[in-house]
Amino acid sequence: MLYPSLVTIVGALVNGNVNFLNIAHVGILNAAAPHLISLGMNKTHHTNIGIREHKTFSVNILSQDQMAAMDYVGLVSGGKTDKSAVFETYFGELKTAPLIVNCPLSMECRLYDTYELKTHDVFIGEIVATYADEVVLTDGKVDLAKVKPLLFDMSSLKYWTLGQAVGSCWNAGKQYKKKE
Amino acid sequence: MLYPSLVTIVGALVNGNVNFLNIAHVGILNAAAPHLISLGMNKTHHTNIGIREHKTFSVNILSQDQMAAMDYVGLVSGGKTDKSAVFETYFGELKTAPLIVNCPLSMECRLYDTYELKTHDVFIGEIVATYADEVVLTDGKVDLAKVKPLLFDMSSLKYWTLGQAVGSCWNAGKQYKKKE
């Protein structure tokens, strides 16, 4: 019940074809170099084959306006349906991790490790490059109010939007201390 | 840049004392039994000592109304400041994972594994029990609109609220298919 979690579109090259799927069981492992993130992906997913083969993948954060396409790539398997045209794509530094054109925020990842579970491959990726669309920046920083990411919740099986910024981290608690 | 991420309050018993801290670098590893989640925790944190000692911890999802207390336990270290009275606590099945009274949603975790990084302990916990406050349930299910969780963003260093439910998972994409 660690929800909501961020909806990401994971891209990989599978048997020479660009493929994408919707993964919200993601995680941030650290806040230091190498910057590592995790994707908990059921072993039945077609995309896993490409990640194992090329040891690269992309993680794309799309806007809530693209919910239909985001959900669609989670509805159909790349093993049966060619999803390569759902998004316009390009390749970056790693050459084998398909990135989405005009995506608010994309990361290219090198497979750092695979944490194997019985049912899931937990792919641990090192972020080697991050691409932000200029339109989501404010003063040179990614502005989530402009990204408008989608969030996932297993309890309601709904997608949720992000609300408002309501306080400053490592600051809002100073108010608590004063109350003591 | 895998933000926003969910703000959790992690509880552990450290040298016999209840301690809590604020961790938003969390992840969901799978969607199958055993249900595993990850906490990426800098090795400098006092709480890590307790998790290593008892091999148990709690993960508590508090409401945005408790932002000051949530931020406060991330501002001060349990090594210097006794944080045991910030929240009213109780123990559940595991006996050594302090849980927060009247918390919207709490999970008791058994330490399943530790994925060691140079700077961080990534604690992988198996969820052995989940406690939901009745007031956050709708038709017996956790309702995030009632939980009102806080989200974290490293770019703005702000806490964000959750917005609205805007679509159904494994459903919203059917609309995309029709458009093809």
Side-chain angles (χ1 to χ4, degrees):
Chain A
M1 270 313 310
L2 208 62
Y3 297 100
S5 59
L6 182 64
V7 178
T8 73
I9 302 301
V10 173
L13 206 55
V14 187
N15 302 328
N17 201 30
V18 165
N19 197 50
F20 290 101
L21 89 171
N22 179 323
I23 294 290
H25 287 161
V26 297
I28 299 170
L29 296 194
N30 63 357
H35 290 276
L36 302 177
I37 58 178
S38 65
L39 305 176
M41 292 177 50
N42 196 298
K43 284 176 187 284
T44 59
H45 289 310
H46 187 67
T47 306
N48 297 31
I49 299 166
I51 295 177
R52 288 183 174 280
E53 182 186 352
H54 295 287
K55 302 194 188 314
T56 60
F57 56 88
S58 71
V59 177
N60 306 274
I61 315 294
L62 292 171
S63 147
Q64 64 193 57
D65 306 333
Q66 290 161 283
M67 180 171 65
M70 292 165 82
D71 190 63
Y72 171 71
V73 296
L75 273 175
V76 294
S77 168
K80 291 180 181 166
T81 306
D82 181 356
K83 293 185 269 184
S84 63
V86 175
F87 304 109
E88 194 183 340
T89 57
Y90 67 102
F91 289 92
E93 279 183 33
L94 297 175
K95 309 295 182 197
T96 51
L99 294 149
I100 298 176
V101 173
N102 293 331
C103 185
L105 200 59
S106 294
M107 285 158 273
E108 272 193 292
C109 295
R110 184 180 289 121
L111 185 64
Y112 178 87
D113 197 3
T114 303
Y115 187 79
E116 290 249 9
L117 297 171
K118 209 169 90 179
T119 55
H120 286 65
D121 292 321
V122 181
F123 292 120
I124 297 174
E126 176 184 353
I127 302 171
V128 297
T130 301
Y131 305 86
D133 189 332
E134 279 187 19
V135 302
V136 303
L137 301 180
T138 295
D139 298 333
K141 284 190 175 176
V142 171
D143 185 343
L144 288 183
K146 294 178 177 174
V147 173
K148 293 183 186 159
L150 265 192
L151 298 155
F152 169 72
D153 163 32
M154 189 70 113
S155 181
S156 64
L157 294 178
K158 297 280 184 195
Y159 292 117
W160 296 72
T161 60
L162 186 65
Q164 306 291 322
V166 289
S168 296
C169 308
W170 294 289
N171 191 328
K174 289 177 186 169
Q175 199 183 328
Y176 175 85
K177 280 202 278 189
K178 281 181 202 145
K179 276 198 288 184
E180 275 188 310
Chain B
M1 271 312 313
L2 208 61
Y3 299 99
S5 59
L6 181 65
V7 177
T8 72
I9 301 301
V10 173
L13 206 54
V14 187
N15 302 327
N17 202 29
V18 166
N19 197 50
F20 290 101
L21 91 171
N22 178 323
I23 294 291
H25 287 162
V26 297
I28 299 170
L29 297 195
N30 63 357
H35 289 276
L36 302 177
I37 58 177
S38 65
L39 305 176
M41 292 177 48
N42 196 297
K43 284 176 185 285
T44 59
H45 289 309
H46 187 66
T47 306
N48 297 30
I49 301 166
I51 295 177
R52 287 184 174 281
E53 181 185 352
H54 295 288
K55 302 194 188 313
T56 60
F57 56 88
S58 71
V59 177
N60 306 274
I61 314 294
L62 291 171
S63 149
Q64 63 192 58
D65 306 333
Q66 290 160 286
M67 179 170 65
M70 290 164 84
D71 190 64
Y72 171 71
V73 296
L75 273 175
V76 295
S77 169
K80 290 179 180 168
T81 305
D82 181 356
K83 293 185 270 186
S84 63
V86 174
F87 304 108
E88 193 183 341
T89 56
Y90 67 102
F91 288 92
E93 279 183 32
L94 297 175
K95 309 295 182 197
T96 52
L99 295 149
I100 297 176
V101 172
N102 294 329
C103 186
L105 200 58
S106 295
M107 286 159 273
E108 273 193 290
C109 295
R110 185 181 289 122
L111 185 64
Y112 177 87
D113 198 2
T114 303
Y115 187 78
E116 289 250 7
L117 297 171
K118 209 169 91 178
T119 56
H120 287 66
D121 292 322
V122 181
F123 293 121
I124 297 174
E126 176 183 353
I127 302 171
V128 298
T130 301
Y131 304 87
D133 189 332
E134 278 187 21
V135 302
V136 302
L137 301 180
T138 295
D139 298 333
K141 283 190 176 177
V142 171
D143 184 343
L144 288 184
K146 294 178 178 174
V147 173
K148 294 183 186 159
L150 264 192
L151 298 155
F152 169 72
D153 162 31
M154 189 68 112
S155 181
S156 64
L157 294 179
K158 297 281 184 194
Y159 292 118
W160 297 72
T161 60
L162 186 65
Q164 306 290 321
V166 289
S168 296
C169 309
W170 293 289
N171 190 327
K174 290 176 186 168
Q175 199 183 329
Y176 175 85
K177 279 201 279 190
K178 281 181 203 148
K179 276 198 288 182
E180 275 187 311

